[in-house]
Every structure is written in structure tokens, then in C-alpha cells.
Amino acid sequence: MKNSQVLEFLYQSIADTQATIKAVDVKVGFLFLITFMPLPGLEVIFKASDVLLGVSLWHLLLLVPVLLFWLCALVSLISCTIPISKPGSHVRGDKPSGSFYAGFLFRMNFIDNFLNFPIKSEISIGEFKASLPSTEDELISELSFEKMKLAYIRQIKIKRAAFCALMTYGWVIFGVIAWVIFLVQGESNVNG
């Protein structure tokens, strides 16, 4: 295979992986909406839980899983949104300079979270230029390194988002069952 074909493959592969990461992030945003949907109705949820527990403590077998599934969904959802730092440390073997992403260019401090403090690049333009690949083989290595880092990020995000979705299914299913029982037993408890 020619180097030009390898380079084209890597460019397309990187673009596809970045698009997949963006698509997962959109799905995570949707999961955020679903996960936080019960919060405005907490008062009603607590009243329904009190009614169910007043009827029978066996209803804890429904209410505890709802809470546990919801908490697991929340934690995994938050972990989906936290940036993955230094994905290159998870790649084995000799690593190129990392000039494609160039995460080494600027060092941020705590104050930079709040203010645009005077931030200067860690290296000069000449030093950065010198770190760029100078041969096709170095370029292939650089792009391969970037592809592997992105693949790591993609896999982590997919795994966490899938776990969050599974936990969301769990709390929704148990929650719906608990709500139906509340409507049936709560109604008869109030009327009977």
C-alpha cells in the first residue's frame, strides 16, 4: 500500500472517530434531559413513596432499585462529560511528539478557570515547527498516534453512555411499575 493511501485512510479514520465522539456527546445530552427529568417532581415522588411504604415495606424492593439505578445513571452521565486527560498515556509503544493535537502548547493554572490570565505558549513557533513530522513515515506515526488516542476516548465515551442508558432503562422501568402500583394501591388506600 502506498503512503498516500495510508495517509488518506488515517485522515478519514480520524474524521470518522471524531464524528462518532460528537454523536455520542449528543446522545449524552439527551440522557442528561431524561436523567434530570424527575427532579422538578421530587415532591410528588416523595409523597408517592410515602404512600407505597405506608401500604407495605415490600415496596422498598421497587423504590431502592429506582434510586440506585438513577444514581448510577447520574454518576456515569457525569463521567461521560468529564474530559479524558492524557489519552496518549494509554497508547503503548514509542510515541511521536503529539503535534497533531498539540496539547503541550499551553499550560493552564487554576486561575485560568475564571480569568483570561496572561497565558503564553510553552514553546516558540520555531520549536513547534521543528516538532512537526518531516517525513511521510513520521506523519503516518503522528496520525496513527492521534487515531489511537481518539479511539480510546471514543470507547470510553461509548461504554459510559451505554451504561448510563442501561441504568436509565432500569430506573424508568422500576419507576413506572412503582407509579402504577401507587396509582392502584394509593387510590384504594385513599378510598378504602
Side-chain angles (χ1 to χ4, degrees), residues 99-147:
S99 60
F100 186 91
Y101 178 68
F104 57 85
L105 287 180
F106 297 93
R107 186 177 322 155
M108 306 293 172
N109 296 314
F110 180 76
I111 193 74
D112 298 318
N113 292 311
F114 307 102
L115 301 171
N116 191 12
F117 219 61
I119 303 168
K120 300 286 186 199
S121 63
E122 293 289 311
I123 61 175
S124 69
I125 293 172
E127 290 169 318
F128 179 71
K129 185 179 172 190
S131 76
L132 295 175
S134 58
T135 66
E136 278 191 344
D137 283 341
E138 287 178 359
L139 181 59
I140 289 171
S141 292
E142 189 70 48
L143 293 174
S144 297
F145 183 49
E146 186 63 24
K147 169 61 182 175

Side-chain angles (χ1 to χ4, degrees), residues 31-164:
L31 287 170
F32 252 109
L33 290 174
I34 293 172
T35 302
F36 286 100
M37 201 179 324
L39 292 183
L42 277 180
E43 186 178 341
V44 173
I45 291 170
F46 287 141
K47 286 181 183 177
S49 298
D50 282 344
V51 168
L52 285 175
L53 292 175
V55 172
S56 172
L57 288 178
W58 285 102
H59 291 123
L60 275 173
L61 294 174
L62 283 173
L63 299 177
V64 169
V66 169
L67 182 62
L68 291 177
F69 281 133
W70 187 83
L71 287 172
C72 286
L74 180 65
V75 170
S76 66
L77 187 60
I78 291 169
S79 71
C80 276
T81 62
I82 294 173
I84 297 170
S85 62
K86 298 182 181 165
S89 66
H90 299 278
V91 176
R92 292 188 345 209
D94 294 333
K95 298 173 180 83
S97 69
S99 60
F100 186 91
Y101 178 68
F104 57 85
L105 287 180
F106 297 93
R107 186 177 322 155
M108 306 293 172
N109 296 314
F110 180 76
I111 193 74
D112 298 318
N113 292 311
F114 307 102
L115 301 171
N116 191 12
F117 219 61
I119 303 168
K120 300 286 186 199
S121 63
E122 293 289 311
I123 61 175
S124 69
I125 293 172
E127 290 169 318
F128 179 71
K129 185 179 172 190
S131 76
L132 295 175
S134 58
T135 66
E136 278 191 344
D137 283 341
E138 287 178 359
L139 181 59
I140 289 171
S141 292
E142 189 70 48
L143 293 174
S144 297
F145 183 49
E146 186 63 24
K147 169 61 182 175
M148 291 177 77
K149 293 188 303 182
L150 286 169
Y152 170 74
I153 293 168
R154 179 198 60 210
Q155 291 308 110
I156 291 291
K157 283 187 168 277
I158 287 173
K159 181 155 185 71
R160 291 175 181 172
F163 181 75
C164 179

